[in-house]
Amino acid sequence: MLLLIPVSRSFPARCSASTAKSLLLRFLPFLTWLPRYPIKDWLPGDIASGFSVGIMHLPQGLAYALLAGLPPVTGLYSSFYPVFLYFFFGTSRHNSVGPFAVISVMIGSLTETLVPSENFLESVNGSNMTVNEEKRDAARVELVAAITILTGIFQVALGLLQFGFVVTYLSEPLVRGYTTAASVHVLISQLKNVFGITLGEHSGPLSLFTTFIEICQKLPDTNVGTLVTAIIAMVVIFIVKELNHKFAAKLPMPIPIELITIIVSTGISYGVNLHAKFGISVVGNIPSGLKPPVVPNFSYFGQVAGNAFAIAVVGYAICISLGKIFALKHGYKVDSNQELIALGFCNFLGGFFQCFAISCSMSRSLVQESTGGNSQVAGVIASLVILVTILKIGELFRDLPKAILSAIIIVNLHGMFKQFKDIRMLWKSNRVDLIVWVVTFLATLMLNLDIGLGASVAFGLLTVIFRTQLPHYSIMGRISDTEVYRDVSDYQMAQEIPGVKIFRSSSTLYFANVELYAEALKKKVGEVPDTLKKAEKEKPRGKHCPARGVTSPPCSEVRSPPLSQGAEDGLNGPGVSVIKLSGAEGSAPPEPTLRTLGLPQPDFHAVILDFSPVSFVDTVSVKILKNIFRDFREIEVDVFIACCSVPVLAQLERGNFFSSAITKHCFFPSVHDAVLHVTGEQRQASVSTRPHPPGHCHAGWGGGRTDSQADPLPPCPPQEDRSTRM
C-alpha cells in the first residue's frame, strides 16, 4: 500500500534576526560577496575592465539616446545611475547594464508616437515653421521618465512575486527573431542621420515600411557631407572592431575605436565648422553636472502601461540570458528573481534622474569579461568614468556630428544581423522553431515592436498547444528479459504482451487533445470497441436469454450493468416478452455477454494506459477517461493506468473519477507492475474453476463457469498487490 501523508510546515510567528539578515543579504547581494572580495587577485582586472567598458559607455550612451529620440545627455545619465545601482542589487559578475539598442528603439517608437515633433512647430519671422527642440526634448524626457519608472515597478513586482519564470514564455528563437527585427527597425531609423534628410514621424503597424519609402523618395535631397562622414566612420569602426576580434588574445584591451572616432570627429567638426559650412547636423548643447530628481508625470502611466511591461520583459530576457551564459562559463549562480529586482530598482530609481530604461549589452559584457573583469566592481569603475564625463567633459562634444553616432549604432548591429544564420540552422534542426523565428521577425517588422512582441508570444504559445494536440501515440512492447517498454514500431526488440495493449501518448491530457487521445487509442487497438458496440446494438437482444435448461451460458455471468425494465421492453420491441430467470428475489436481469450475443471476442483482455507524460488533467479529460473505461468494459476488456503521478491522481479524485466500477486498484506505479498484475490474474483465471467478479478493474478476466448456481464470488487471486492503493 502506498500511503502519502502531507508534511506540515511551521513558520515563525514573528520575524527573527536571522530571517531579517537572510532577507537583507538576499536583496543586497553585495553584502555577501564584498567582504570576501580578493583585492589582490581581482581588483587590477576590475579596474582595467571598468575603464574599458566606461570608454564604450560614452559613445554608446550618446548614440542610444539619439535612438530613443532624447537629448544625448540622457544617454550619459543612463550609463551612470543604473550601472552604479547594479553594483548593490545585481548577482551577475560580468553583465554590463546600461543603454541597449533594442530597448532604445522601443522607447523611441513611443516618443515619436506620443510626443511627435509636429506638436512643437513654431513660426519664425511669421512664415517659416520650425520645431522647438528644447520644448520637445523636455516633453519627451518627462514621458520617458514615466515609462522607465513604470518599467521598474513591473520588474520589481514580478521579482518580489517570484515571477522570474515569466521570461520562459520567450523562447530563444522568439527572442532572436525579435531582436533581429528590432535591429532592422534601428537601421531604418538611423538612415535619416546617415543621409542627412528630414523625415516625418510615423508610428503604428507598417510604419517601418512607410519610413523606408519616404527615405527612398528623399534620397535626391541627401546631404553629401553627412553621407561621406557616416561612411568613413562606419568603415573605420568596422575594420578596427574586426582587428580587435582577430587579435583579442594579443591585445591587452580592445582598441577604443568608438571613443577615438568621437574625439577625432568632434575636433574636425569644431575646427572646420562642419555644421555651418556643409549643413552637417551636430549633437548640440550637452549640459554639464547632475540634475536633482524629478517626480514623473503620473498621467502618462495609463497610456504606456502595456509598452512598459513589454520593455520590462524584453529587457529582463536579454539580461538573464547573458547572465546565465557567463555564470555557466565561470562557475557561479545567477538568481533570476533577484536579477529582475535589480533591473527594476535600476530603472525605477534611474527614472527620477532622467534615465531611460536599460538592459544588458552583449558587446560591453564581452569586453568586461575579456579584459579581466571579475565582479560588479568593474561596473562601479565604468560608472565613475561616465561621472567624470558628465561633470567635466560632456560639454566638449557639442560639435559631434550625429552621423558619427548613427555610424556607431549601425556598426554595433553587426552582431545582431548575424542572427539571420539561425534560419539555416533551424531549417536543419527544428522546423517549428524556424516558423516561430520567421513569424516573430515578420510580425515585429510589420506590427511594430510592441504589438509584434505580443503577437509573437501568442504565436509561440499556439505552437505549443498545436504540438500537444498532435502528439506521438504508440503501442508499447516489452524488451525481453527487462522491465523496459518501448514503442513496438520503433524498436524491433520490443514485443507486445499477448492479450495486453499498452498505450502511450507523448503529451499530457487536457480539453484540446483528450478526444484525439481516445480516438487514437481505439485506432491503435484496431477499432474493436466501436465495431463490437455497433454489432451489439444491431443484434436482437431478447432472444439471447433462454429459459432454464437451455445449454447456452446463463445471463447471470454478464458483466455490463442491467437496464431498467422499461428500457429493456423498448429494446425487445412489441410482442417480445422477457423471461425472468430464477435468482434472488427482486434482482434485475443482467446484460448478455459477447459470447451469448454470438459476437467475436477481442484478441486482448486488458488495456494499460501509460500516464508517465501526463502532468495534469482537467474536467473534460476526466469525463473522456471515464468513457474509455466504460467503452472497454462493455466489450469485456479491463483498463489499467500506470505511472500516474500523485498530483494527477489527486486531480482525478477531485473530479469524481472513481466509482464502484473504477477504483484505485486500476492504478500501478509502473507499466511493468501493471503487466505483472494483468498476466498473473490471467494465468489464475485460466486454471480457476470459479469466475472472478466481472465489471471491476481488479477482477480477473477470461472464461467463467457455466453454472448459474455458482457460489458467492471470491476476491482477486492471491498475488502480490502492486497497485497504488491509498
Side-chain angles (χ1 to χ4, degrees):
M1 177 180 289
L2 178 63
L3 183 62
L4 300 177
I5 303 176
V7 180
S8 61
R9 297 183 181 183
S10 59
F11 296 92
R14 291 183 296 177
C15 180
S16 62
S18 60
T19 304
K21 181 180 178 181
S22 63
L23 287 175
L24 183 64
L25 294 177
R26 178 182 174 186
F27 290 112
L28 294 175
F30 82 101
L31 295 176
T32 301
W33 60 264
L34 190 60
R36 301 193 298 267
Y37 182 79
I39 297 177
K40 183 181 295 185
D41 296 331
W42 283 12
L43 186 58
D46 282 337
I47 292 176
S49 176
F51 183 74
S52 302
V53 174
I55 290 174
M56 293 183 68
H57 265 297
L58 175 58
Q60 289 187 7
L62 296 172
Y64 293 152
L66 183 68
L67 187 59
L70 298 171
V73 70
T74 59
L76 297 180
Y77 296 154
S78 301
S79 299
F80 168 64
Y81 289 106
V83 177
F84 184 74
L85 291 170
Y86 187 79
F87 168 83
F88 300 99
F89 301 104
T91 60
S92 175
R93 300 177 189 171
H94 299 91
N95 273 359
S96 176
V97 299
F100 182 59
V102 174
I103 304 298
S104 297
V105 76
M106 293 177 74
I107 295 172
S109 65
L110 273 177
T111 57
E112 293 179 357
T113 302
L114 299 179
V115 189
S117 299
E118 288 80 358
N119 294 352
F120 301 92
L121 291 175
E122 295 181 356
S123 61
V124 179
N125 298 327
S127 58
N128 296 329
M129 301 293 290
T130 60
V131 176
N132 188 327
E133 294 184 357
E134 184 177 352
K135 290 184 179 180
R136 182 201 63 187
D137 290 346
R140 288 184 173 181
V141 167
E142 185 181 42
L143 169 67
V144 172
I147 296 171
T148 305
I149 290 174
L150 191 56
T151 298
I153 291 174
F154 280 131
Q155 289 174 330
V156 172
L158 291 174
L160 292 175
L161 294 174
Q162 304 293 300
F163 267 64
F165 69 88
V166 72
V167 74
T168 58
Y169 293 106
L170 302 179
S171 64
E172 184 179 359
L174 188 148
V175 172
R176 292 176 72 86
Y178 183 79
T179 53
T180 306
S183 65
V184 176
H185 278 274
V186 173
L187 175 63
I188 299 298
S189 69
Q190 295 307 300
L191 291 180
K192 63 181 180 181
N193 294 322
V194 172
F195 291 102
I197 55 180
T198 303
L199 302 176
E201 293 173 347
H202 308 283
S203 60
L206 302 178
S207 60
L208 179 73
F209 301 96
T210 306
T211 302
F212 183 74
I213 292 172
E214 187 177 359
I215 290 172
C216 294
Q217 292 173 344
K218 292 190 175 182
L219 284 179
D221 301 330
T222 299
N223 185 307
V224 178
T226 302
L227 180 61
V228 171
T229 301
I231 291 175
I232 293 174
M234 282 190 285
V235 171
V236 172
I237 294 172
F238 180 78
I239 292 175
V240 176
K241 277 183 172 289
E242 289 297 311
L243 292 175
N244 282 338
H245 179 71
K246 186 175 182 179
F247 299 103
K250 299 180 180 180
L251 295 173
M253 62 175 289
I255 301 173
I257 185 59
E258 294 171 339
L259 180 62
I260 294 173
T261 303
I262 284 180
I263 294 173
V264 172
S265 60
T266 301
I268 294 175
S269 176
Y270 176 77
V272 181
N273 198 1
L274 295 178
H275 178 62
K277 290 185 177 180
F278 301 99
I280 296 177
S281 180
V282 296
V283 169
N285 183 46
I286 299 179
S288 59
L290 300 175
K291 292 187 176 182
V294 178
V295 178
N297 186 347
F298 296 102
S299 62
Y300 283 122
F301 279 15
Q303 295 177 269
V304 301
N307 302 90
F309 185 80
I311 292 171
V313 173
V314 172
Y316 170 67
I318 295 168
C319 190
I320 194 63
S321 60
L322 286 176
K324 288 184 176 180
I325 290 173
F326 291 121
L328 183 64
K329 182 177 179 180
H330 294 276
Y332 62 92
K333 291 184 179 180
V334 173
D335 187 338
S336 57
N337 288 304
Q338 181 59 30
E339 282 296 295
L340 195 50
I341 294 173
L343 275 182
F345 273 120
C346 291
N347 283 320
F348 176 75
L349 298 176
F352 290 97
F353 295 93
Q354 299 186 4
C355 299
F356 54 84
I358 54 94
S359 183
C360 291
S361 167
M362 178 176 289
S363 60
R364 292 196 306 267
S365 298
L366 289 173
V367 169
Q368 180 167 322
E369 182 209 22
S370 61
T371 53
N374 298 294
S375 70
Q376 294 90 322
V377 173
V380 174
I381 303 299
S383 65
L384 293 178
V385 173
I386 299 300
L387 178 62
V388 173
T389 304
I390 294 173
L391 296 177
K392 298 295 182 182
I393 305 175
E395 58 186 5
L396 300 178
F397 293 106
R398 66 173 61 198
D399 290 311
L400 173 64
K402 290 183 178 179
I404 299 296
L405 296 178
S406 295
I408 293 173
I409 293 172
I410 292 172
V411 173
N412 282 327
L413 296 176
H414 175 63
M416 289 190 184
F417 285 133
K418 287 183 177 180
Q419 293 178 157
F420 279 110
K421 296 179 180 179
D422 292 351
I423 296 176
R424 182 179 180 183
M425 182 269 293
L426 293 175
W427 175 264
K428 296 179 179 180
S429 60
N430 193 310
R431 302 287 176 86
V432 176
D433 283 346
L434 173 62
I435 294 174
V436 171
W437 195 102
V438 172
V439 169
T440 301
F441 178 79
L442 295 177
T444 307
L445 287 184
M446 294 187 291
L447 302 178
N448 220 336
L449 295 169
D450 47 359
I451 303 176
L453 177 63
S456 303
V457 173
F459 181 80
L461 295 178
L462 282 177
T463 61
V464 176
I465 296 173
F466 178 75
R467 279 185 275 189
T468 59
Q469 282 188 297
L470 298 175
H472 176 67
Y473 299 110
S474 56
I475 292 294
M476 312 290 284
R478 181 183 179 185
I479 297 178
S480 301
D481 301 325
T482 69
E483 297 181 4
V484 178
Y485 294 80
R486 292 293 183 265
D487 189 347
V488 295
S489 62
D490 294 334
Y491 292 82
Q492 294 181 353
M493 297 180 64
Q495 300 296 324
E496 288 192 52
I497 305 297
V500 181
K501 297 290 185 180
I502 306 171
F503 181 74
R504 186 180 190 273
S505 169
S506 62
S507 174
T508 190
L509 296 181
Y510 67 111
F511 66 93
N513 68 356
V514 67
E515 291 187 3
L516 299 175
Y517 178 89
E519 293 176 4
L521 172 60
K522 293 177 181 179
K523 288 181 180 179
K524 287 289 185 181
V525 300
E527 300 285 358
V528 173
D530 290 341
T531 304
L532 293 182
K533 285 177 66 179
K534 182 178 179 181
E536 184 178 350
K537 289 180 180 179
E538 294 175 352
K539 198 87 171 181
R541 307 181 74 173
K543 300 177 182 180
H544 292 278
C545 286
R548 177 74 60 183
V550 180
T551 58
S552 300
C555 296
S556 59
E557 292 184 14
V558 179
R559 297 175 179 228
S560 302
L563 295 174
S564 64
Q565 181 65 41
E568 195 169 9
D569 291 343
L571 287 174
N572 291 326
V576 179
S577 62
V578 179
I579 301 174
K580 293 186 178 180
L581 300 180
S582 61
E585 185 70 24
S587 62
E591 282 288 305
T593 65
L594 294 176
R595 185 164 49 187
T596 62
L597 290 172
L599 298 175
Q601 292 181 303
D603 60 353
F604 58 96
H605 53 78
V607 171
I608 299 174
L609 305 179
D610 183 358
F611 262 37
S612 54
V614 179
S615 57
F616 69 93
V617 292
D618 55 15
T619 55
V620 179
S621 304
V622 172
K623 291 179 181 178
I624 300 297
L625 286 173
K626 291 171 74 174
N627 291 342
I628 291 174
F629 273 74
R630 181 202 63 199
D631 292 344
F632 280 98
R633 186 170 62 247
E634 289 180 355
I635 63 168
E636 304 172 17
V637 173
D638 290 304
V639 181
F640 298 89
I641 293 178
C643 304
C644 181
S645 65
V646 174
V648 173
L649 196 61
Q651 291 171 1
L652 291 172
E653 192 165 12
R654 289 195 299 268
N656 296 322
F657 176 73
F658 298 105
S659 63
S660 59
I662 307 175
T663 69
K664 291 182 181 178
H665 294 78
C666 304
F667 287 71
F668 292 85
S670 71
V671 173
H672 189 64
D673 289 324
V675 169
L676 291 179
H677 179 81
V678 170
T679 55
E681 282 198 349
Q682 180 63 16
R683 286 194 297 268
Q684 292 280 350
S686 64
V687 299
S688 176
T689 59
R690 296 185 178 187
H692 300 301
H696 293 277
C697 293
H698 61 279
W701 41 86
R705 292 177 58 187
T706 59
D707 184 5
S708 62
Q709 304 297 328
D711 295 334
L713 297 173
C716 291
Q719 64 176 61
E720 181 182 0
D721 185 6
R722 295 173 176 260
S723 62
T724 55
R725 302 183 186 183
M726 297 187 181

